[in-house]
Amino acid sequence: MTPEQKLADLGLTLPEVVPPLAAYVPAVRTGDLVYTSGQVPMVDGKPARTGKLGAELTADEGKEMARICALNALAVLKSELGDLGRVVRVVKAVVFVASAPDFTGHPQVANGASELLGEVFGEAGRHARSAVGVAALPLDSPVEVELIVEVS
């Protein structure tokens, strides 16, 4: 089953690639690696949610936002590669979490992205990861996700 078929089985469709918000490109390929730019939880051209984890959003809401970010990153990969079947392995995910100072649920929020990658790519979706708390993200986004993937 292809990654695109797995997405369909999950009831998900890849969105349009979110246009860059500043002076960068959505992805860069070097050798057999593709680096995506950070993806925020945009849906239909608008932020799905805004605010900080531990203040305006719960960890479960943040987890859902991380899942949307990962889906947006997959759209970038599809645009870059033409076929998600060319992903050999997800090497690393970096998940930034805008959070209140006392929030410590960053790993649980990041699981939203990690679990989607596992569902779509199986064993090849298991990856190294960093979950980092930050004071603020672009557009007051609660989460931002970037990926490094090995491709064929």
Side-chain angles (χ1 to χ4, degrees):
M1 184 179 293
T2 69
E4 286 87 348
Q5 289 169 323
K6 289 179 184 175
L7 283 166
D9 283 355
L10 293 168
L12 300 171
T13 56
L14 290 175
E16 293 294 319
V17 173
V18 176
L21 301 173
Y24 61 90
V25 295
V28 170
R29 181 173 180 172
T30 181
D32 61 353
L33 295 176
V34 175
Y35 293 73
T36 69
S37 292
Q39 299 297 307
V40 295
M42 299 288 275
V43 175
D44 297 327
K46 300 179 295 224
R49 294 289 303 270
T50 59
K52 307 244 182 318
L53 278 292
E56 296 88 6
L57 286 90
T58 66
D60 284 341
E61 291 169 323
K63 182 177 179 180
E64 181 57 31
M65 295 303 101
R67 186 175 177 90
I68 293 169
C69 293
L71 188 64
N72 287 338
L74 292 179
V76 168
L77 290 172
K78 169 89 175 186
S79 175
E80 180 73 18
L81 301 170
D83 177 6
L84 289 177
R86 294 184 59 200
V87 172
V88 173
R89 170 167 203 99
V90 178
V91 177
K92 184 163 186 179
V94 181
V95 181
F96 299 97
V97 180
S99 55
D102 61 343
F103 182 78
T104 59
H106 305 84
Q108 291 76 22
V109 170
N111 282 346
S114 294
E115 290 170 3
L116 178 65
L117 296 169
E119 290 171 307
V120 172
F121 296 111
E123 187 63 27
R126 293 176 48 90
H127 53 273
R129 183 181 84 190
S130 297
V132 182
V134 297
L137 289 168
L139 304 176
D140 196 25
S141 295
V143 183
E144 182 174 347
V145 173
E146 60 183 52
L147 300 177
I148 302 169
V149 299
E150 179 186 1
V151 299
S152 61

